[in-house]
Amino acid sequence: TTVYQNQSIYVYTYTRNYGRQSFTTDFRNKYYMCASTSTPTSSCTQIYDYSMTNNFGGLNSEVYVRPYVKIPANTPNSAPGYRYVRVVADANNNINESVETNNTYNIRVTVYGRADLVVSAASVSNTTLDRGKAYSVSYQNSNQGNAYISTTYYTGFYLCPGAANSGCQYITNDY
């Protein structure tokens, strides 16, 4: 699965009762973003908390849910590369289980970064402009994001009557 930071995705989850006893106690499944499968859950970034209020029957009864979770941005756990969405069943230990060590499942995802282009510097050859006359504009774009830009992009130029950036008129773009 391929995801981007700040993207919301569905995480399809089955929670199964391997025990022989049925129960009606509410519990919570928690979803985390982790840097690796060996990252302690306490070091992961929690991304969702799902309340399970279903009645579970005996052996192999299961409940299917698909929460819509958001991949966080700007955390070590969601940096570009292979990362893991960790699902922890009964995260608050509300259910007295015969085996407490099988409540975690990791889903590998590939996190892609995003570019964030900004104009970091700009100047014009003259601050008083006359209609029909050519002027020189110098500018510098910077990528503040965490992804390399391999495609062509264009910088648009506008003439605005004030500093509020409203009522602007498109002039041209730079290729």
Side-chain angles (χ1 to χ4, degrees), residues 1 3 8-14 31-32 47-48 50 64-71 85-87 105 107 109:
T1 302
V3 297
S8 293
I9 61 169
Y10 287 106
V11 178
Y12 299 89
T13 311
Y14 285 95
Y31 297 74
Y32 299 87
I47 57 177
Y48 203 78
Y50 192 90
Y64 168 77
V65 296
R66 60 176 202 135
Y68 200 52
V69 304
K70 188 172 186 176
I71 303 302
V85 174
R86 179 173 297 162
V87 183
Y105 188 79
I107 304 163
V109 296

Side-chain angles (χ1 to χ4, degrees), residues 43-58:
S43 297
C44 296
T45 304
Q46 184 176 326
I47 57 177
Y48 203 78
D49 185 342
Y50 192 90
S51 178
M52 300 290 288
T53 58
N54 299 299
N55 294 332
F56 272 81

Side-chain angles (χ1 to χ4, degrees), residues 7 14 21 41 82 114-115 147 160:
Q7 179 185 5
Y14 285 95
Q21 186 174 358
T41 301
Y82 292 128
R114 291 193 186 254
C160 302

